[in-house]
Structure formats: C-alpha cells, structure tokens
Amino acid sequence: MILTGPEIGARVKDGEIRIDPFDPGMLQPNSYDFRLDGRIGWYTTHVLDCGQENPFEEHTIPAGGLVLRPDRIYLASTRERIGSDHYVPIIRAKSSVARLGLFVHVTADLIDIGSHGQLTLQLHAVQPVRIYPGMLIGQVTFWTVTGEVALYDGKYQGSDGPRPSQIHRDFEASR
C-alpha cells in the first residue's frame, strides 16, 4: 500500500522516513516532490562496457541551465537525501517534466528498503530540453512491505551526488 502525503509527513517526523532537507510544502496527496541537485555527469566514451568501469565526468549545472541532448544518458542527483528502513521508496518524474519528454529514471525507479542518500537520476531527453539546478523534477512515493525485511547494504549506499554504474563490480565478485 502507498502512503498518503500526510502519512509521509508523519513518518518523517517520527524518523521512519528520512528526507533532508524536508519541506512540508512539497508533500503531495500521495508523494513528496524532490528537486534536482546542482551536479550532473555523463560517460565520456561512445560505447559503454558492463564488464569494466566506464570513464565518467561530473559537472555543475549552471544557474542559466543546461541543455540535455537526446543522444546520451545523464546522471544527476536529487538535492534531498532520501531513505527509509521501513518503507520502499519509488521515484517518478513530475508529470510536468514528463510532458517535456524528459525521463528522470529510465527504468530504475525502485529504491531498496534501507538505502539512504542522494538518489541518482538517469536523465534521458526525447528532444533537447533545458534543466536548472534546484528545479522540481520528480516525486517519491513510499510503499509498505510485508515479510521479513533485509536492509540494503549495496554498492550505492550513502550516495553523494550522481553515481555512475558500478555493474563492473558484479563481474569482479563472480570471478
């Protein structure tokens, strides 16, 4: 079951959900809005390799905005640090952003229970679109769980800023 906006606020207040910074004005009927941080990055090679670390560079989004091109994936982060040991966060684009053809998570919308930090957004533009630091870009919902809980303790725990793929570590672990 999904938490309502007021219930998200109550769970933030009692510490079962962490959102920092938290602004009650960003609560929606069944979600919490989040903002785009000022950091963004992209891979610097044309072909990406799942079996090795890919070159990645991080930049600051200028106050006047940054135009995203349709031919690449951009990794950015939420301004807020978000997580819960009690609920499963799922992220979505704001509908106003989606109506511009900007995907904010491509396919990775599920945040594991127990994961805490700035969320990495996988931005993909259908056509050129200008983004700005601090803009409302998405929303997070929180879902209840049933069954035994195993908290996330993976390679993206405690993320600060946009985190490039660490899939190559899965190859290293299986060797």
Side-chain angles (χ1 to χ4, degrees), residues 5-142:
E7 188 66 17
I8 292 169
R11 296 294 66 88
V12 168
K13 187 174 182 179
D14 74 13
E16 288 187 1
I17 292 175
R18 289 188 236 159
I19 301 174
D20 183 35
F22 177 74
D23 176 354
M26 291 173 47
L27 285 168
Q28 298 301 323
N30 57 358
S31 65
Y32 182 84
D33 288 344
F34 57 77
R35 297 183 180 279
L36 183 64
D37 189 36
R39 296 176 282 178
I40 191 166
W42 50 82
Y43 298 101
T44 58
T45 58
H46 182 66
V47 176
L48 302 176
D49 187 337
C50 293
Q52 65 181 0
E53 190 169 2
N54 292 282
F56 180 82
E57 56 186 37
E58 188 175 309
H59 300 271
T60 300
I61 302 171
L66 176 72
V67 175
L68 304 183
R69 302 185 334 233
D71 62 342
R72 75 169 4 152
I73 188 83
Y74 297 87
L75 301 182
S77 56
T78 59
R79 179 170 285 172
E80 296 79 10
R81 294 180 179 282
I82 298 171
S84 176
D85 291 349
H86 305 276
Y87 302 97
V88 175
I90 295 180
I91 60 173
R92 308 250 192 276
K94 295 284 296 170
S95 65
S96 297
V97 169
R99 292 168 198 212
L100 296 176
L102 180 60
F103 292 83
V104 301
H105 64 76
V106 183
T107 62
D109 63 347
L110 176 75
I111 311 303
D112 283 319
I113 192 167
S115 177
H116 297 271
Q118 287 180 294
L119 306 179
T120 294
L121 307 174
Q122 309 97 36
L123 303 178
H124 176 69
V126 173
Q127 67 187 62
V129 62
R130 185 178 304 272
I131 60 168
Y132 299 88
M135 68 181 273
L136 289 174
I137 195 164
Q139 54 196 346
V140 58
T141 56
F142 292 89

